[in-house]
Amino acid sequence: MLNSKTIEIVKITAPVLKEHSHQIGKRFYELLFRTAPELMNIFNQTNQKKGIQQEALGYVVYAAGEYITDLGALTPVIRRINEKHRAIGIRADQYPIVGETLLQAVKDVLGDAATQEILDAWGQAYGYIANLFIQMEGELYEKTEKQAGGWSGYRRFIVDKREKETKEVTSFYLKPEDGKAIASYKAGQYLTLKAEIPGESYTHIRHYSLSDAPGKDYYRISVKREGALSNDPEGIVSHYLHDQVQIGDALLFSAPAGDFVLSADEFPIVFISGGIGITPLLSMLNDVVKRQPQRMVYFIHATKNSETHAFQSHLAELAQSNSHVKFYVCYTAPTQDDLVSHRFDKAGHIDLDMLLSIKPDEPARYYLCGSIPFMEDILKKLSELNVPKEHVQYESFSPIAMLDEE
């Protein structure tokens, strides 16, 4: 345990680290990749270039300091990080170099203000938190490998089928190359791909939500083509999958992971998705219709128009064949054909009136997935509708830990 003096120093200096979090994050990754360039095979280089990873690191460091005596308050963040660390293969022996590099980054950014006493206190705090993470992730590794059909590290999967959902979205059906059983998963979880792309110096790791219900002999991911060009950092992996990966090709995946899962109760569910954020919610919907057909589900999906609307027919059929499923569509820029055929319920963005008209009278569980601005907007509107914070869960396709934190 940490002594009272160390705790006091960490809590007092946490706001200072928050103030300089971006600079510390930027300096940290500069030093880390210089010291251990092999880690570039693990960290998302697109997020590095966009500054997202640095921001996420800064948030975690500050939050850990602020809640050093009550890490239980950070349980959702810690669980999310543990799941991602297990998925990408973070090892216990990598924590020391991260800690040393972080302290050096703090020293470089804060200069003389980072006294030895402050650095020592944060070093002890980091060691305490790192040991907690190592223990929790060790348990995850063991559980994942020992489960039926489980495995450690990355396993080779063959693309059994490709299915074009829209001009931008393609589904990939994956079966294990070894022909053995595959691990089940909870609806809402994701697979982690290690992409070995010809011409790239390092591997690229990406998380892709599983887009179908569990219980099948295959996995399905549905990938949106990102970025305008194949050499756009944001689109390197998605262009590789869309343009180069064909039926019969092998890809490397770690076992399913993620903390974005359905509650075990029977409260009504409200799914709210934007664009490709539909994928984990579709998995949840398919699962709940199969396991809890009497549970009320309200599904709101927002996208540009029918040309970008993945799984439109499937969702409409589910709603038509199941009276407990209500499906609503919001097109921000409907085509002329959409206007004529009335394929959507609202033009423009999801607004307060739309949410109010759909909101169940009884308490419900809300699940969100989409872009960061989209979810921030929906979270704000749900707050205005007095939806309890603990009734809302979301999946962020980003390393930023919490959307509703200052």
Side-chain angles (χ1 to χ4, degrees), residues 8-79:
E8 180 184 8
I9 293 172
V10 168
K11 289 182 74 68
I12 289 173
T13 55
V16 179
L17 267 64
K18 180 183 182 182
E19 182 182 352
H20 298 276
S21 60
H22 184 76
Q23 299 99 305
I24 291 171
K26 182 178 179 181
R27 182 59 177 158
F28 166 79
Y29 285 110
E30 288 173 353
L31 294 171
L32 184 67
F33 295 143
R34 184 186 307 165
T35 305
E38 69 278 5
L39 292 179
M40 292 184 75
N41 288 302
I42 295 177
F43 289 95
N44 186 320
Q45 296 304 305
T46 298
N47 287 338
Q48 291 291 323
K49 293 173 182 177
K50 294 168 68 176
I52 298 175
Q53 197 83 49
Q54 294 89 325
E55 186 177 346
L57 174 70
Y59 169 80
V60 172
V61 170
Y62 162 72
E66 185 180 26
Y67 294 98
I68 192 67
T69 56
D70 183 24
L71 291 178
L74 294 178
T75 296
V77 180
I78 292 173
R79 186 183 300 120

Side-chain angles (χ1 to χ4, degrees), residues 231-244:
N231 59 356
D232 181 339
E234 191 169 351
I236 286 175
V237 178
S238 65
H239 276 262
Y240 166 67
L241 291 172
H242 277 254
D243 301 336
Q244 298 185 46

Side-chain angles (χ1 to χ4, degrees), residues 105-395:
V106 170
K107 184 176 181 180
D108 289 353
V109 171
L110 299 184
D112 292 341
T115 65
Q116 194 58 50
E117 184 179 43
I118 291 174
L119 292 174
D120 288 345
W122 276 94
Q124 292 173 39
Y126 174 84
Y128 171 70
I129 296 168
N131 286 335
L132 174 66
F133 274 53
I134 289 169
Q135 178 185 342
M136 295 176 72
E137 286 161 17
E139 293 170 357
L140 266 180
Y141 278 112
E142 183 177 7
K143 180 181 178 181
T144 301
E145 184 175 2
K146 289 186 176 180
Q147 68 181 318
W151 70 93
S152 62
Y154 288 87
R155 184 175 174 186
R156 287 170 65 86
F157 281 77
I158 302 299
V159 176
D160 186 60
K161 183 171 71 169
R162 286 175 48 124
E163 193 165 74
K164 200 172 185 64
E165 310 293 353
T166 70
K167 291 179 180 179
E168 297 178 332
V169 179
T170 295
S171 289
F172 296 83
Y173 292 73
L174 310 162
K175 290 190 174 182
E177 185 180 59
D178 58 20
K180 296 180 180 178
I182 56 175
S184 187
Y185 57 92
K186 294 180 179 179
Q189 290 190 306
Y190 53 81
L191 285 183
T192 300
L193 166 70
K194 178 190 281 189
E196 299 176 334
I197 303 175
E200 288 292 309
S201 301
Y202 299 97
T203 57
H204 291 265
I205 291 181
R206 295 291 188 275
H207 306 298
Y208 290 112
S209 294
L210 289 146
S211 61
D212 203 355
K216 299 178 172 62
D217 66 349
Y218 62 83
Y219 294 136
R220 185 180 77 177
I221 59 173
S222 302
V223 181
K224 178 186 175 185
R225 182 194 295 270
E226 301 286 358
L229 302 171
S230 59
N231 59 356
D232 181 339
E234 191 169 351
I236 286 175
V237 178
S238 65
H239 276 262
Y240 166 67
L241 291 172
H242 277 254
D243 301 336
Q244 298 185 46
V245 174
Q246 302 300 323
I247 293 173
D249 288 346
L251 296 169
L252 295 170
F253 289 95
S254 64
D259 66 325
F260 184 60
V261 297
L262 285 168
S263 64
D265 54 50
E266 295 190 358
F267 285 114
I269 295 172
V270 180
F271 294 126
I272 308 176
S273 62
I276 195 60
I278 196 172
T279 50
L281 302 187
L282 179 63
S283 174
M284 290 179 170
L285 175 64
N286 288 347
D287 189 45
V288 77
V289 166
K290 181 174 66 174
R291 293 189 304 104
Q292 298 175 295
Q294 301 305 308
R295 192 172 182 180
M296 281 301 305
V297 178
Y298 304 83
F299 200 118
I300 310 169
H301 181 60
T303 186
K304 186 176 180 180
N305 50 49
S306 59
E307 294 178 357
T308 63
H309 190 168
F311 309 107
Q312 179 181 14
S313 298
H314 175 75
L315 288 165
E317 288 169 9
L318 274 182
Q320 190 172 18
S321 61
N322 190 319
S323 62
H324 288 81
V325 176
K326 307 299 180 184
F327 180 43
Y328 306 89
V329 178
C330 187
Y331 285 165
T332 57
T335 65
Q336 185 61 37
D337 189 44
D338 294 333
L339 293 169
V340 172
S341 58
H342 303 290
R343 291 176 177 166
F344 59 98
D345 298 283
K346 182 183 184 302
H349 297 278
I350 298 172
D351 59 21
L352 203 59
D353 288 340
M354 184 180 189
L355 290 175
L356 184 60
S357 68
I358 295 170
K359 180 178 179 290
D361 293 330
E362 57 186 309
R365 304 293 185 187
Y366 291 77
Y367 298 86
L368 321 179
C369 191
S371 68
I372 297 295
F374 172 83
M375 289 194 291
E376 287 177 335
D377 180 62
I378 298 299
L379 283 170
K380 180 181 178 182
K381 287 180 170 59
L382 292 180
S383 177
E384 292 176 21
L385 293 175
N386 297 315
V387 174
K389 188 176 178 180
E390 61 271 20
H391 285 191
V392 183
Q393 294 186 57
Y394 57 83
E395 177 67 292

